[in-house]
Amino acid sequence: MAKELKAGQKEELNIGKIEQYGHGGDVWTAAKAFGGQAEAFLDYSANINPLGPPSCVQQALQQSWERMLQYPDPGHRKMKGYLAERLGVEPEYLLIGNGAAECMALALLYLKPTTVGVIAPCFSEYEALSKQFDAKVIAIRGSKELDYQAPAEELLKLAAERDVCFVGHPNNPTGVLYSSQVLTEAANLAAEKNHTLIVDEAFIDFLDEDEAEVNSLYRLCENNRHLIVLRSLTKFYAIPGLRLGYAIAHPSLIEGMKDKQVTWSVNGLALAAGEALFDPKHREEVAAYEEETRTLIVKEREWLRAELRVLGLETWPSQANFLLCHIETPWTAASLQQALGGRGILIRSCAMYEGLQDGHFRLAVKDHSSNERLIHTLRQVLAEEQPSSS
Ligand SMILES: Cc1ncc(COP(=O)(O)O)c(C=O)c1O
């Protein structure tokens, strides 16, 4: 599918800038750089459930097109009611957003922090949004020996000292989970200092249900007015184009965040999807889909790790649907991205993450036949190609 490159053409192709908007999943930039149709890429750069959305969501979308003729409910009442029931919290503890990304922005808009603490490497939006809202970002580095987590005492210090502190749980791009005891301590410290801890649980649904319940911090929100838990529905339920996520926090925080939300930012079709997902009458179907997803991801993640190891690549022990990987010189993430891009496969370079190196990249975990194609192509590339110098 990729167009042939003429000698000397590489420089014109913006190689190394596939993540020019700061994220994976940009198949449009990839098509410009590597040729071919955007839709034809096998996209390992965005971490979306390979099963696609559950069928009740697909049906709800097909049946709900008329909701385009109405303004969406600005109070998101039906979805919020179902979700509250599912989580066992009062609806006042929930804010529905246009993706977890909107909830993140609303937290910053409301809290107006002067300083924001992050632990590098982490999701780039923590820093980008903080800067957008004029906060100073203080990054500490995770330690390689701890799979890029910060030692507990450093995390606690960050939460105590900074107005707002973000923690990915599991963290992106490592997939590693913090200890819930340490995070609980950090949330208590933040409360003592009148600061706020934001725990980003965008990928926590990929854990086994009981483990997610034990590891999540959302139950602490009842007694802690300085803790915000973020959840995304776009990854696990495969609806990134619809945009849907939520925040769980004490009503005092939720009201402040809601005040900053643009009315109707969550559109009617996204609400239809959310209502279908959490409607008790779909519980059995959705539970079966959730189980199938978790089983598939664990199996494929371990298969991929083993195959990558055989190819000489280092990986980290992820609990999510992606893997942080490292390739040794003379290869770099950029040259590997270029070689695979030319063969129709898109990977996420992580070389630009603070604390990581030129050889770091991230792979989504997909279905077995895609994963086989990825490994087959990687094997070919490593055997047949010389890394380019871009
Ligand atoms: C760690 C993390 N949090 C939040 C988000 C945003 O998720 P959403 O699509 O729900 O806005 C992402 C998206 O990639 C992410 O990786």
Side-chain angles (χ1 to χ4, degrees):
M1 57 152 286
K3 73 186 171 208
E4 282 286 304
L5 299 187
K6 296 194 185 90
Q9 207 184 348
K10 279 176 199 157
E11 285 79 1
E12 293 163 29
L13 293 178
N14 258 342
I15 302 294
K17 293 190 182 157
I18 302 298
E19 292 84 10
Q20 58 182 280
Y21 290 98
H23 298 287
D26 187 353
V27 288
W28 301 276
T29 301
K32 250 177 134 178
F34 306 124
Q37 299 292 317
E39 303 72 33
F41 274 91
L42 183 57
D43 184 9
Y44 273 85
S45 72
N47 309 311
I48 306 302
N49 186 339
L51 293 181
S55 57
C56 65
V57 167
Q58 299 186 33
Q59 274 161 20
L61 290 175
Q62 276 156 9
Q63 288 160 6
S64 303
W65 70 269
E66 282 186 336
R67 287 176 71 162
M68 282 191 281
L69 307 174
Q70 284 178 317
Y71 278 93
D73 172 11
H76 317 135
R77 281 162 285 198
K78 194 168 178 187
M79 175 180 165
K80 209 190 277 183
Y82 287 156
L83 180 58
E85 209 178 311
R86 169 85 191 273
L87 294 171
V89 301
E90 293 300 320
E92 293 71 30
Y93 281 78
L94 297 175
L95 174 83
I96 309 296
N98 183 298
E102 189 195 21
C103 300
M104 222 172 265
L106 294 174
L108 292 169
L109 269 170
Y110 170 57
L111 294 166
K112 293 196 183 70
T114 305
T115 56
V116 171
V118 299
I119 304 158
C122 60
F123 182 47
S124 61
E125 217 50 44
Y126 306 155
E127 179 167 348
L129 280 170
S130 302
K131 286 184 173 162
Q132 226 167 306
F133 299 132
D134 297 324
K136 184 165 190 244
V137 176
I138 315 287
I140 61 167
R141 284 207 182 167
S143 121
K144 188 169 185 224
E145 294 69 47
L146 297 174
D147 297 328
Y148 296 106
Q149 289 194 317
E153 60 282 6
E154 288 185 27
L155 165 58
L156 295 176
K157 189 162 174 274
L158 196 71
E161 286 181 351
R162 304 302 161 207
D163 298 328
V164 164
C165 183
F166 279 102
V167 183
H169 184 59
N171 188 43
N172 180 3
T174 56
V176 175
L177 203 63
Y178 269 90
S179 123
S180 53
Q181 285 94 323
V182 173
L183 288 184
T184 303
E185 238 182 284
N188 292 341
L189 261 180
E192 259 174 48
K193 304 282 181 186
N194 211 19
H195 294 162
T196 308
L197 181 71
I198 303 183
V199 179
D200 181 354
E201 298 187 354
F203 289 97
I204 205 160
D205 290 323
F206 287 97
L207 267 72
D208 172 78
E209 200 171 8
D210 295 339
E211 266 186 58
E213 187 67 28
V214 170
N215 281 287
S216 172
L217 258 70
Y218 82 97
R219 298 235 172 250
L220 301 185
C221 293
E222 198 172 345
N223 295 316
N224 189 329
R225 294 167 178 246
H226 296 265
L227 170 66
I228 300 173
V229 174
L230 302 177
R231 295 271 181 91
S232 171
L233 298 171
T234 67
K235 294 137 199 337
F236 191 89
Y237 298 103
I239 49 171
L242 264 186
R243 318 293 308 123
L244 195 61
Y246 58 96
I248 315 167
H250 193 273
S252 54
L253 281 168
I254 292 290
E255 276 164 30
M257 288 163 71
K258 179 72 186 158
D259 276 351
K260 299 289 177 192
Q261 190 170 35
V262 172
T263 311
W264 310 303
S265 69
V266 183
N267 71 70
L269 293 179
L271 283 176
E275 290 160 17
L277 271 180
F278 298 114
D279 184 336
K281 76 170 186 274
H282 296 144
R283 186 64 208 127
E284 213 174 301
E285 179 204 321
V286 175
Y289 164 94
E290 291 168 350
E291 188 58 32
E292 190 184 347
T293 299
R294 292 178 185 123
T295 307
L296 173 79
I297 295 298
V298 169
K299 187 164 166 230
E300 289 303 319
R301 190 174 62 208
E302 294 323 307
W303 184 82
L304 268 177
R305 278 195 87 185
E307 293 291 320
L308 291 164
R309 201 175 304 126
V310 171
L311 293 176
L313 303 183
E314 190 179 1
T315 59
W316 276 261
S318 169
Q319 307 244 32
N321 64 333
F322 53 82
L323 284 170
L324 178 66
C325 311
H326 183 266
I327 190 162
E328 290 294 333
T329 51
W331 284 94
T332 61
S335 57
L336 188 64
Q337 185 182 58
Q338 187 181 332
L340 289 171
R343 295 170 187 236
I345 296 180
L346 183 58
I347 62 168
R348 167 70 153 110
S349 167
C350 293
M352 67 293 282
Y353 278 87
E354 189 180 337
L356 297 185
Q357 283 88 46
D358 286 348
H360 280 107
F361 62 98
R362 196 190 62 206
L363 293 174
V365 176
K366 293 168 106 52
D367 58 281
H368 193 65
S369 67
S370 301
N371 294 338
E372 277 189 319
R373 181 176 153 201
L374 169 76
I375 294 297
H376 175 75
T377 312
L378 250 176
R379 194 177 297 121
Q380 269 184 344
V381 159
L382 296 179
E384 294 168 12
E385 289 199 24
Q386 291 301 314
S388 75
S389 56
S390 62

